[in-house]
Amino acid sequence: MLKQVVEADVVVVGGGLAGVCAAVAAARRGVDVVLINNRPVLGGNSSSEVRVWVCGATAHGNQRWARETGIIGEMYVENQFRNPEGNPVYWDDVVLDTVRREKNIRLFLNTDVRDVVASGPEDARRVETVTGWTMGSEILTTFRAPVFLDCTGDGLVGHLAGARYRLGKEARSEFDEEWAPDEPVEEFLGSTLLFYTKDLGFPVKYVAPESAKDIRDTPIPTSRVIRSGDSGAHYWWVEWGGELDTVHDNETIRDELRSVILGIWDYIKNSGEFDADTLTLEWVGNVPGKREYRRFVGDYTLTQNDIVEQTTFPDTVAFGGWSIDLHPAAGMYHEGSGAVQRFSDGVFEIPYRCLYPASTSNLLVAGRNISATHIAFGASRVMATCAALGQAAGTAAALCVEHAVTPRELGTHHLAELRRALLRDDAPIIGAVNDDPDDHARSARVTASSTLSSIGTGPGRSFGGGLPGGAADPAPDQAEGSGSGADHRTGPGANQLAVSRPGAAPAPRTDLVAENRATPHPLVDDLGIVLPVHPRLDSIDLLVSRAALEPAGGGDAVGGAHAVAGADPVDSAVTRDGTASPDDTASRDHAASRDDAASRDRAASLDDPASADRTAPSPLVVEVWSTGKPQNVVPSRLEVTTSVEILPGEARWVRAQLDYQPDSPETAIVVLRADPSITVHLTEPLPPGVLTLVHGAASDDQNVEVSQSELLVQWPTRPLRGRSVCFVAHPESEALAPERATSGGNRPYGGPSMWASVPMSPGTPEWLRLDWDEPVEVSELVLVLDDDVDLELNTLHHHRSPHETIPELVRDYRVEVLTADAPGGQADDRDEAQVPAVAPSGAPATEPSADLADETWTVIADESDNRWRRRVHRLQAPTRLRAARVVVTATNGTPQARVVALRAQA
């Protein structure tokens, strides 16, 4: 047996995704890191030893624009490329490569920490060393560092150090949690084993071993959904041990779980109730995937109310979006559902104060052992959220070393620096504003070759190019000065709004629907068009058609079965509970001004007026709803109601006048109320900042009981994900302007938070540029590209995307700089025609190039086949720059060039 002592700046114990991301985050800040894991592979429950899929804030596609970025985001995207089939063995190497790539990490696998030396009083315990035994190598190693992280899941290090923690369920009265029990009880979410099956193509028999349980003697066959074609994480409900001690009774729990798996397989193969003759059992897990044990007591304890109400914290360092997901203590033997879930209406924030035990002075925690109640833990415990917490804790640990402070002191004196570091690293954080004094992009003039200023999906638009081809005359309400969202480009390919003029026949269906490759979609459910409003939404054009007239007296969609839950009639503004909003009077006056005949007069129909003498059917009711919080994408508050007459006939464009101007830029939802006689038309793909909601539940797991009272559940995106109603919003929008790429945020939050060009033309690059009045010293240019954070990238591909490389990502680009000593005058001295500018209507501006007499660009990066979101391009030495730009020559499929962030770091 060998003994050794290893010293480092930061020691991370636990090699699950929380520990991996913590170690990588700390190492990237230049500190010396040790990562210790007690298994031969990294990844914890996601590894090939356990094979649980990595879930997070996207919540299987329920949340919107919620996929984690940062380190776990890098692994998600890499796995999508390397491992499109979702092989858990391939995922092991994605995680391992992420760690091995960092030269500042020393990795100790198969090393089980079993001894901790700590000192100090009970309320300020300090970890001095941890000692672990490396199996197979017979090495006993003592690790010493100024800062430690407990990412063990079970909280072993903190426990041995004497940190305070909780076990089980708190009483309802302690934190005023609706879902908590009346009295505290030491019960847990149970542990799980999984199994894989394989179709061999020929009959295979199965003789159950003596340890197999006859599940016909249990509630399982009648209380759980069993399907012969399912395997892996579809059997998440094979869970037990919640009434035991999930750590000390781990072996008992494993044996029981394994006996039930063998019994389930015996039932599938030999009961005669399943088509399973050619199936064989390929793999059964032997390491139980634990869900719950210790939760440390931090300076703040996350609660159910923080999840549901989406509390805003001054020290937010990560977010989650998984439901409060609680399982019965009896697990698979419970006769009711295997889980009950309640969602927040958007992602929720997690504060830094949850990431260190209040009773320690040099210990941070990340993963399922953070400071949270049992109820809140139900939402924060999933692995991608744990990974996000790991990145935050690892960054904090490195800063603690740099400043020689405790975790609490870091939060008190260096919180802004922590949040800046997380935003700079593209970590999963919301609500953060780029106030980094070292980012010179904040002081630059930001310009671009073009900007996608017209938001819509009209025919021929290809994500928002021109308006539909056809007649060139303005719409009637345009002539009255209400404004137009038309793309003002002229020449070949220019498109303008198709208008049915008095006496003119409606445009043929083939001109509008076939040209747009649109799919008819009867308006049997309310639909919500999610779009950015920046600064206002005057009107929206819709491509619709109507079936032959029904007898008079059709149903009224207003306030009917498809109304938003809790809403008053559509001439009222309401809050979520159905009560009048604080500005009730003003809101009602505002809505009333759009009511009945007056609003219909102002909602211009572009239909053929020659049919006006027919019996008029019910109009299409169109509403504008605000979302309540910047990160939410649900219809929370009614702002505007109007209606549009839709006469029978072929597809045509109609206009709904809306006149909505929020106090600040936001994401809004235009709701089209259900009317089965009306058909809208769907197209794909989506422009940036646009999604489609469908009013109706979309739960797909019969083993789960999901609360239906939340708007997120009532208005899912999954039924029409990736498709949009054909629409054009007016006026032109500033939501995708060049300066969005330097304002911080890095993800949709009250708008898309990115720059997007107009659709690219072959051979014509698009560019985003920074100019400074006085030269600035820059050491690196950091580029964050759009990788569609609305797309779920579950590691085992529960919802599989067909694209191995995300189409929204820029593929080929150059990064170029103008140095202070480069030939040419200052930016203000350049000829106006050579100064890049955003053309008034999104038209491409003149592109500066190396052959301009007064500009000589230096290429510092020339990338092709890019498939990553965040790219860092370092200059050989800090250099004084007058300008910098990124020149995009191709994407991985999306028509526009999209840049989420461009930073020029000192």
Side-chain angles (χ1 to χ4, degrees):
M1 182 181 76
L2 299 177
K3 294 184 179 181
Q4 63 180 359
V5 176
V6 172
E7 296 190 355
D9 295 322
V10 173
V11 170
V12 180
V13 184
L17 295 184
V20 164
C21 291
V24 171
R28 288 180 179 178
R29 291 198 64 85
V31 300
D32 182 22
V33 179
V34 161
L35 175 59
I36 308 168
N37 193 38
N38 63 351
R39 305 299 307 173
V41 292
L42 296 169
N45 282 348
S46 76
S47 74
S48 60
E49 287 192 315
V50 186
R51 305 193 181 190
V52 176
W53 48 36
V54 178
C55 299
T58 58
H60 289 324
N62 284 292
Q63 297 284 8
R64 297 93 205 247
W65 289 315
R67 193 180 77 247
E68 294 80 3
T69 52
I71 297 165
I72 181 61
E74 295 171 17
M75 290 190 282
Y76 265 143
V77 172
E78 183 67 11
N79 188 69
Q80 178 73 8
F81 178 77
R82 289 196 202 180
N83 187 20
E85 290 76 29
N87 187 325
V89 177
Y90 293 175
W91 169 249
D92 285 347
D93 285 311
V94 170
V95 180
L96 181 62
D97 284 353
T98 301
V99 171
R100 295 286 195 195
R101 202 175 292 128
E102 301 301 327
K103 60 182 176 56
N104 292 329
I105 296 179
R106 286 175 284 171
L107 177 62
F108 292 79
L109 294 173
N110 288 308
T111 302
D112 189 33
V113 168
R114 56 188 63 176
D115 182 63
V116 174
V117 175
S119 61
E122 290 184 359
D123 61 348
R125 299 290 288 167
R126 178 178 180 82
V127 180
E128 305 292 348
T129 64
V130 301
T131 299
W133 172 258
T134 302
M135 294 174 287
S137 299
E138 297 185 357
I139 300 174
L140 187 69
T141 307
T142 297
F143 301 92
R144 180 178 291 112
V147 179
F148 290 82
L149 283 96
D150 186 339
C151 301
T152 61
D154 292 332
L156 178 64
V157 174
H159 164 60
L160 295 178
R164 289 182 54 221
Y165 58 85
R166 298 173 179 273
L167 290 172
K169 305 172 183 178
E170 296 82 7
R172 180 177 303 155
S173 59
E174 186 171 359
F175 293 98
D176 191 28
E177 295 180 305
E178 178 186 355
W179 277 19
D182 290 335
E183 299 295 332
V185 57
E186 195 166 303
E187 290 181 343
F188 307 94
L189 274 67
S191 301
T192 286
L193 286 182
L194 299 173
F195 64 96
Y196 273 49
T197 65
K198 184 177 182 179
D199 191 337
L200 295 181
F202 54 84
V204 181
K205 72 175 182 178
Y206 176 68
V207 179
E210 296 175 8
S211 60
K213 181 180 288 288
D214 189 343
I215 65 168
R216 293 172 297 181
D217 297 332
T218 75
I220 291 174
T222 57
S223 64
R224 299 291 181 267
V225 176
I226 299 175
R227 291 185 288 254
S228 60
D230 287 349
S231 64
H234 288 100
Y235 280 94
W236 60 264
W237 52 262
V238 179
E239 172 185 357
W240 193 66
E243 296 170 314
L244 304 178
D245 186 306
T246 54
V247 167
H248 298 137
D249 295 322
N250 186 60
E251 296 298 294
T252 300
I253 293 168
R254 182 204 57 208
D255 291 346
E256 184 72 11
L257 291 169
R258 202 171 197 283
S259 73
V260 168
I261 285 175
L262 298 175
I264 290 172
W265 191 240
D266 184 31
Y267 182 65
I268 290 173
K269 288 289 292 183
N270 298 323
S271 68
E273 298 184 21
F274 301 89
D275 181 12
D277 287 349
T278 60
L279 296 180
T280 190
L281 193 58
E282 184 181 34
W283 173 86
V284 178
N286 285 291
V287 179
K290 292 198 188 98
R291 288 183 173 87
E292 181 181 9
Y293 201 53
R294 301 181 185 95
R295 302 184 313 279
F296 292 106
V297 178
D299 277 347
Y300 188 85
T301 299
L302 196 70
T303 71
Q304 173 184 343
N305 299 319
D306 294 325
I307 306 296
V308 175
E309 297 171 9
Q310 298 173 271
T311 303
T312 299
F313 298 102
D315 59 336
T316 293
V317 291
F319 66 79
W322 192 255
S323 64
I324 296 175
D325 180 10
L326 302 178
H327 301 189
M332 57 197 173
Y333 297 137
H334 179 66
E335 295 187 2
S337 61
V340 292
Q341 296 182 343
R342 180 175 178 178
F343 284 93
S344 56
D345 279 335
V347 298
F348 57 86
E349 302 181 16
I350 303 175
Y352 172 64
R353 287 164 292 161
C354 294
L355 304 192
Y356 57 88
S359 54
T360 63
S361 63
N362 70 333
L363 180 65
L364 289 128
V365 299
R368 57 185 169 89
N369 57 4
I370 68 166
S371 181
T373 67
H374 170 80
I375 305 296
F377 150 88
S380 66
R381 64 184 175 82
V382 289
M383 281 186 280
T385 303
C386 292
L389 295 168
Q391 181 164 1
T395 304
L399 288 171
C400 285
V401 172
E402 292 173 25
H403 293 291
V405 295
T406 67
R408 179 181 287 120
E409 290 169 342
L410 183 76
T412 302
H413 303 297
H414 303 279
L415 178 62
E417 184 179 359
L418 171 59
R419 284 165 53 86
R420 285 179 194 137
L422 292 171
L423 185 59
R424 176 176 173 174
D425 293 341
D426 196 33
I429 185 172
I430 61 169
V433 176
N434 183 6
D435 60 357
D436 187 351
D438 293 331
D439 179 13
H440 292 301
R442 296 172 58 241
S443 63
R445 292 190 308 282
V446 192
T447 53
S449 52
S450 69
T451 293
L452 183 63
S453 57
S454 181
I455 306 298
T457 55
R461 294 176 61 82
S462 184
F463 284 66
L467 287 169
D473 292 345
D477 59 343
Q478 292 173 320
E480 295 170 6
S482 63
S484 166
D487 188 332
H488 298 292
R489 288 179 290 176
T490 58
N495 295 306
Q496 296 187 354
L497 183 62
V499 179
S500 297
R501 296 182 299 280
R509 182 183 183 92
T510 54
D511 289 347
L512 296 179
V513 179
E515 176 190 353
N516 194 41
R517 301 182 300 277
T519 303
H521 183 85
L523 194 58
V524 294
D525 297 300
D526 300 335
L527 296 183
I529 303 171
V530 179
L531 75 169
V533 177
H534 192 153
R536 67 185 192 274
L537 179 61
D538 291 348
S539 61
I540 189 168
D541 297 330
L542 302 163
L543 182 60
V544 298
S545 58
R546 187 165 215 151
L549 282 171
E550 297 291 338
D556 184 4
V558 178
H562 293 282
V564 174
D568 286 346
V570 296
D571 62 350
S572 301
V574 294
T575 56
R576 280 287 310 281
D577 60 2
T579 60
S581 64
D583 54 343
D584 176 61
T585 303
S587 298
R588 290 177 185 273
D589 290 344
H590 184 60
S593 69
R594 292 165 177 78
D595 199 15
D596 300 328
S599 64
R600 294 176 192 178
D601 289 342
R602 291 162 54 192
S605 172
L606 307 183
D607 264 311
D608 177 10
S611 303
D613 57 346
R614 305 175 193 170
T615 301
S618 299
L620 170 63
V621 176
V622 182
E623 302 165 349
V624 178
W625 290 75
S626 54
T627 63
K629 289 183 177 291
Q631 69 265 39
N632 290 5
V633 188
V634 294
S636 176
R637 177 186 171 87
L638 179 62
E639 303 288 353
V640 175
T641 299
T642 189
S643 58
V644 185
E645 300 292 350
I646 311 293
L647 297 180
E650 300 294 334
R652 67 200 68 194
W653 288 91
V654 299
R655 174 163 297 172
Q657 195 69 24
L658 300 170
D659 299 329
Y660 176 55
Q661 184 162 358
D663 294 334
S664 59
E666 66 175 33
T667 296
I669 301 171
V670 176
V671 170
L672 311 181
R673 288 300 181 184
D675 184 336
S677 71
I678 295 175
T679 294
V680 296
H681 296 82
L682 305 178
T683 188
E684 58 184 17
L686 295 174
V690 174
L691 295 174
T692 306
L693 310 181
V694 180
H695 193 188
S699 177
D700 61 356
D701 193 332
Q702 299 175 31
N703 292 304
V704 178
E705 178 185 339
V706 180
S707 170
Q708 300 296 309
S709 61
E710 285 68 48
L711 290 173
L712 187 88
V713 176
Q714 297 172 15
W715 290 83
T717 58
R718 281 186 292 168
L720 293 178
R721 194 194 183 282
R723 291 177 285 173
S724 170
V725 173
C726 291
F727 79 95
V728 180
H730 306 296
E732 292 182 346
S733 174
E734 301 172 23
L736 299 163
E739 57 267 28
R740 305 293 164 257
T742 61
S743 57
N746 286 22
R747 61 185 311 113
Y749 188 80
S753 299
M754 71 174 74
W755 164 72
S757 74
V758 298
M760 298 182 68
S761 300
T764 302
E766 298 283 350
W767 48 261
L768 181 67
R769 173 170 171 162
L770 308 175
D771 280 278
W772 293 276
D773 293 335
E774 298 293 335
V776 296
E777 189 170 87
V778 175
S779 61
E780 65 183 26
L781 291 162
V782 181
L783 194 60
V784 179
L785 306 170
D786 180 28
D787 64 350
D788 186 11
V789 292
D790 190 58
L791 174 66
E792 184 192 9
L793 293 180
N794 186 296
T795 52
L796 304 185
H797 303 303
H798 177 240
H799 305 291
R800 183 171 176 177
S801 169
H803 304 290
E804 294 180 7
T805 300
I806 296 174
E808 287 77 7
L809 282 167
V810 167
R811 189 189 74 191
D812 304 333
Y813 68 92
R814 302 189 307 274
V815 178
E816 302 175 340
V817 298
L818 278 177
T819 62
D821 56 357
Q826 295 295 320
D828 288 344
D829 298 331
R830 287 178 285 155
D831 183 88
E832 185 175 349
Q834 296 169 346
V835 177
V838 180
S841 311
T846 302
E847 182 203 6
S849 61
D851 60 6
L852 291 176
D854 64 346
E855 291 186 336
T856 303
W857 291 91
T858 300
V859 177
I860 65 168
D862 190 351
E863 300 288 338
S864 59
D865 297 322
N866 173 64
R867 52 186 172 84
W868 297 282
R869 170 183 169 91
R870 183 175 183 267
R871 302 298 305 270
V872 179
H873 299 290
R874 294 182 175 87
L875 283 72
Q876 291 184 346
T879 305
R880 286 166 53 80
L881 303 182
R882 289 191 287 117
R885 67 177 181 177
V886 55
V887 181
V888 178
T889 55
T891 74
N892 280 289
T894 296
Q896 315 96 336
R898 304 184 187 186
V899 176
V900 172
L902 176 59
R903 301 173 70 107
Q905 295 292 149

